[in-house]
């Protein structure tokens, strides 16, 4: 039976690829809806971009909701320096014609968790955790109904990408992250430690382009765009595909390895706010609350991605 998920997202080129991978895999993943959150770019753009991606995947019927437009307690920090002015710079994709749903994204999350059998819906956050935390705060009864949360965020060995200590998604809304990490829901975390190993090298991007379909071409162009930033910053072999690690984990968990450990979120320190304090070495007595992924089979990951994008 397909895993039933809600994708919570701030597209973002890598979010776009994560959504495409999910929509290309209907036998294994049923997307119940997509909720947009403010993050890489403001909410109006993430809600637009999510719909552009659904149309690119040939799924104009998908329900897309706008959620929270700012973090719980801080001003929004965005990342146009990585993703471009629109958040989806690179390919020339048409404005979406499919509608944005009327309901608020947080209400959709709450109502879906209440309506579906307990323990059957997985949440897949690809951006700041504002929508999820708001749903948990507003409707504590839904927390125990979540099957699991599989999210992209945080870092331990790679430390930070938006500050020296913090990864972007967690840094933007650390109070939301602290609430979600402390909620007691089974949690799988795909941090920079693993996503920085999912590098789109030139041969891998050529393989996307060679698919010859719209999705393959668009993914290649998105990667060309944000690779410029990563090459300048890290001097690496290619851009890391952060968010698609979440979808790939749902499809092929055997491609990934990690440890079930305690992970706490720093919310106070001005130097390390948004840091994921991961007890990788087991040096505390704090109870494990997350499966924290550290490595992946990158060739297997890119084979899967290329094979699925070919279906779109
Ligand atoms: Ca994202």
């Amino acid at each position: 039976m397909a895993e039933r998920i809600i994708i919570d997202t701030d597209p973002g080129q890598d979010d776009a690829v994560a959504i495409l991978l999910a929509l290309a895999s209907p036998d294994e993943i049923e997307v119940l809806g997509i909720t947009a959150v403010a993050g890489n770019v403001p909410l109006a753009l993430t809600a637009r971009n999510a719909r552009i991606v659904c149309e690119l995947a040939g799924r104009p019927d998908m329900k897309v909701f706008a959620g929270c437009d700012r973090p719980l307690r801080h001003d929004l920090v965005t990342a146009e320096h990585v993703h471009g002015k629109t958040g989806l710079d690179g390919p020339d994709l048409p404005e979406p014609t499919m509608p944005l749903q009327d309901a608020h994204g947080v209400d959709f999350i709450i109502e879906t968790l209440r309506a579906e059998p307990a323990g059957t819906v997985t949440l897949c956050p690809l951006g700041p955790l504002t929508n999820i935390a708001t749903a948990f705060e507003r409707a504590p009864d839904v927390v125990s109904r979540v099957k699991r949360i599989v999210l992209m965020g945080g870092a331990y060995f790679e430390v930070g990408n938006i500050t020296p200590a913090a990864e972007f998604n967690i840094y933007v809304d650390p109070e939301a992250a602290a609430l979600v990490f402390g909620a007691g829901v089974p949690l799988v975390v795909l941090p920079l430690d693993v996503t920085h190993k999912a590098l789109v090298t030139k041969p891998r991007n050529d393989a996307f382009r060679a698919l010859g379909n719209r999705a393959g071409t668009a993914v290649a162009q998105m990667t060309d765009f944000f690779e410029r930033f990563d090459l300048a910053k890290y001097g690496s072999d290619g851009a890391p595909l952060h968010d698609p690690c979440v979808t790939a984990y749902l499809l092929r968990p055997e491609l990934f390895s990690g440890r079930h450990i305690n992970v706490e979120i720093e919310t106070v320190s001005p130097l390390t706010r948004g840091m994921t304090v991961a007890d990788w070495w087991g040096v505390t007595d704090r109870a494990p609350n997350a499966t924290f992924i550290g490595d992946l089979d990158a060739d297997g990951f890119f084979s899967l991605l290329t094979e699925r994008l070919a279906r779109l």
Side-chain angles (χ1 to χ4, degrees):
M1 208 176 105
E3 183 154 6
R4 313 181 76 211
I5 72 170
I6 296 173
I7 298 176
D8 186 68
T9 179
D10 63 337
Q13 291 90 349
D14 60 318
D15 301 72
V17 181
I19 295 167
L20 291 172
L21 179 56
L23 296 180
S25 307
D27 290 346
E28 296 111 320
I29 296 175
E30 181 186 352
V31 183
L32 301 174
I34 296 176
T35 52
V37 68
N40 286 323
V41 287
L43 180 67
L45 284 171
T46 61
R48 163 192 178 265
N49 295 345
R51 287 177 289 146
I52 288 176
V53 175
C54 291
E55 291 188 357
L56 177 62
R59 289 297 304 277
D61 58 306
M62 181 55 57
K63 289 187 201 153
V64 176
F65 302 82
C68 299
D69 65 359
R70 51 163 295 158
L72 298 183
R73 303 201 220 304
H74 295 279
D75 290 337
L76 178 64
V77 176
T78 54
E80 284 89 352
H81 61 292
V82 183
H83 300 278
K85 211 175 171 53
T86 68
L88 215 50
D89 282 19
D92 189 15
L93 296 168
E95 284 299 315
T97 58
M98 63 185 280
L100 191 61
Q101 300 294 308
D102 290 333
H104 193 283
V106 170
D107 292 328
F108 171 73
I109 293 169
I110 292 171
E111 282 158 24
T112 303
L113 287 167
R114 283 179 178 159
E116 300 299 331
T120 65
V121 175
T122 294
L123 304 179
C124 297
L126 309 176
L129 289 158
T130 318
N131 284 344
I132 311 297
T134 304
F136 286 3
E137 244 179 2
R138 205 177 285 170
D141 59 290
V142 304
V143 176
S144 65
R145 302 182 68 83
V146 178
K147 178 184 177 188
R148 60 175 177 165
I149 298 174
V150 182
L151 68 87
M152 189 277 137
Y156 180 63
F157 292 99
E158 293 284 308
V159 197
N161 63 354
I162 184 76
T163 74
E167 179 277 331
F168 179 81
N169 287 345
I170 306 296
Y171 176 78
V172 171
D173 200 343
E175 287 78 14
L179 197 151
V180 170
F181 276 68
V185 177
L187 195 58
V188 179
V189 179
L190 286 300
L192 297 181
D193 305 341
V194 64
T195 69
H196 278 176
K197 294 170 182 162
L199 298 177
V200 191
T201 58
K202 186 166 186 309
R204 288 168 178 164
N205 211 27
D206 289 345
F208 296 148
R209 209 182 305 273
L211 292 174
N213 61 1
R214 283 181 70 218
T217 305
V219 168
Q221 290 169 338
M222 287 187 235
T223 305
D224 284 341
F225 179 84
F226 72 85
E227 185 182 59
R228 292 183 303 200
F229 166 79
D230 288 291
L231 281 176
K233 184 172 179 183
Y234 302 114
S236 59
D237 297 335
L241 270 185
H242 304 285
D243 294 342
C245 288
V246 167
T247 323
Y249 182 87
L250 298 179
L251 294 166
R252 295 277 164 78
E254 68 276 9
L255 293 175
F256 297 83
S257 60
R259 294 183 180 183
H260 191 59
I261 60 171
N262 177 270
V263 183
E264 303 288 334
I265 311 296
E266 173 59 60
T267 57
V268 180
S269 160
L271 272 178
T272 59
R273 201 165 78 83
M275 186 174 191
T276 43
V277 180
D279 191 6
W280 184 262
W281 301 113
V283 294
T284 75
D285 295 332
R286 295 195 286 260
N289 61 341
T291 299
F292 199 81
I293 303 297
D295 206 354
L296 90 166
D297 170 355
D299 286 333
F301 169 82
F302 280 97
S303 307
L304 172 69
L305 187 50
T306 308
E307 177 235 317
R308 295 305 165 95
L309 291 176
R311 300 179 182 183
L312 293 174

